Every structure is written in C-alpha cells, then in structure tokens.
Amino acid sequence: MTRIALIHALAHSVAPINDELQHTWPEATRMNLLDDSLSADLARSGQGLDAAMHRRFETLAAYAESTGAQAILFTCSAFGACIEAVAAKRPHMPVLKPNEAMVAEAVALGGRIGLIASFAPTLASMPPEFPAGTDLRTQLAGGALAALNAGDTAGHDAQVVLAAQALARQGCTVIALAQFSMARAQAAVQQAVDLPVLTTPESAVRALRQRLGAVGPVAKGEGKQPLQ
C-alpha cells in the first residue's frame, strides 16, 4: 500500500490535504508530521532559510522516510530551498514542494497568473518557482491568516476573495491559492471572479498519483494538465 508522508508547518494545512487525499485517493496511507513552530520561527527570526532551518527540514524528512513513506509532500509554502535540499538527497523517491504541481498546472493554462498568499513570506519565496518570463501578479490576502487563527473562517474566505478580485482587475486569467489552508476558499473565489482557481492540495495529489504510478480515476480535476 502506498504511504504518503505529509509534513506541515501550519496546523491549518492538515485538514485540506487529508480531505483531498481521502476524497480522491483513499487507498493511500497517510502520515502527518506537524511542527507549527516552523512558520512562527521563520517570521520572527528575520534570518530567512538559514542552516538551522535546513537541518530541521532534513530531520523531519529523515524521520518520515524511516517510517516507510514512499513519498513526501511538504505543505509549507515558504520553505522552498529547504525542501529542494531534502529532495536532492532523495532521488529515489518523490519529494514535492507544496506548490510545484500547482505552478506547473497554472503555467500550462497560460495567460496571466494571479498568485494569492495569506502568509507574507510566501510572496517572497514562491515567485522564483515559476519559469522565467511567466506573467505573474501577486497579492497578499491581508488579515486572512489571522482570521483563520481566530476561527473566523468566513472572514478568512472574504479576504481571499478580495485579493482575487484585485488580481482579476489586473487582467489575471487564472488564480492560484498558495497556501493549503486557503483551499477552503476555492468555491467562493471561483464564484466571485469566474476564473479557473487552482489549489495546492488538488494539484499536489494529482502529481503524487502520477509520480507513484497510481491507477484509477481522479475524482476531481480530470482533464487538467498533469505535472511533467
């Protein structure tokens, strides 16, 4: 049986990816590792992705692999360089950054991409993940994460919708929601802007299924461009 390790830096990321896997790939066995100090320490330290942060990610990945995981999916979008280092040490298994599958799908759709994040450091770390020359606009959903932390899910979704509307006014033709925790706002955003809205959980599960050779239909998003 396929075993997927899910490594989280925000508690809010746990449910969206587990729900997506349960819905579209229930045969996969899931394990969850959460260190909710990662994002807080990154935001507080001002040191960026330093050697200490790299060591923490390697420790988490090594533990996940030791449990028999056949693939690792990180759900924390502001730690790209750390995840790339983990992947470089594990050419024998898929190690996915949270956004890479969504980036590939967004680029395949073409046009101007609107990227929304609720965690400000993501808007510094994620744009370089897009190919050079990508027509990309970014928008912070200010206050969305604080609302989610306070249990105000409606307030969170409203802030994401406002960010999407701002990007639509800039001529974006597809909206990409950077955080796993933002996936809950997909339907509201879609209704507000009438554009394709990609989420990291949906795209990541499609990529994992492809890379691990899973068979059978994907319940959601059939026909979208797969990750190459």
Side-chain angles (χ1 to χ4, degrees):
M1 182 174 289
T2 302
R3 183 179 178 92
I4 308 295
L6 307 168
I7 302 181
H8 315 280
L10 289 172
H12 298 305
S13 301
V14 178
I17 185 57
N18 279 273
D19 290 347
E20 182 66 25
L21 280 162
Q22 178 60 36
H23 187 65
T24 60
W25 197 8
E27 304 85 13
T29 299
R30 309 184 300 274
M31 67 164 295
N32 290 273
L33 295 176
L34 169 65
D35 180 354
D36 61 3
S37 70
L38 288 167
S39 292
D41 289 348
L42 176 63
R44 181 171 47 243
S45 71
Q47 299 301 310
L49 302 178
D50 59 9
M53 190 63 75
H54 277 266
R55 286 193 296 271
R56 291 171 70 176
F57 270 75
E58 174 57 29
T59 298
L60 288 165
Y63 175 75
E65 187 176 7
S66 76
T67 70
Q70 295 161 271
I72 300 173
L73 171 63
F74 288 89
T75 68
C76 33
S77 58
F79 300 90
C82 294
I83 299 166
E84 289 169 3
V86 166
K89 292 184 178 181
R90 292 169 177 80
H92 55 283
M93 67 188 298
V95 178
L96 269 66
K97 291 185 289 187
N99 306 302
E100 65 179 276
M102 186 180 71
V103 167
E105 291 187 349
V107 170
L109 287 174
R112 177 170 292 172
I113 300 167
L115 177 68
I116 303 174
S118 57
F119 183 56
T122 298
L123 295 182
S125 65
M126 188 174 167
E129 296 181 24
F130 287 82
T134 299
D135 190 356
L136 181 68
R137 300 291 186 274
T138 63
Q139 189 78 26
L140 178 66
L145 188 56
L148 199 60
N149 288 335
D152 181 8
T153 54
H156 167 272
D157 294 358
Q159 291 298 321
V160 178
V161 165
L162 288 174
Q165 290 171 328
L167 289 169
R169 289 192 294 271
Q170 297 176 43
C172 292
T173 57
V174 59
I175 300 296
L177 305 181
Q179 261 82 47
F180 275 65
S181 57
M182 296 169 65
R184 55 161 292 106
Q186 181 186 35
V189 172
Q190 184 101 49
Q191 184 175 18
V193 300
D194 193 27
L195 294 171
V197 180
L198 301 179
T199 72
T200 41
E202 286 187 11
S203 298
V205 172
R206 281 191 287 269
L208 284 171
R209 288 175 63 96
Q210 180 185 358
R211 291 189 179 189
L212 290 171
V215 297
V218 178
K220 297 199 293 184
E222 288 183 294
K224 289 190 178 181
Q225 178 75 18
L227 179 66
Q228 300 299 319

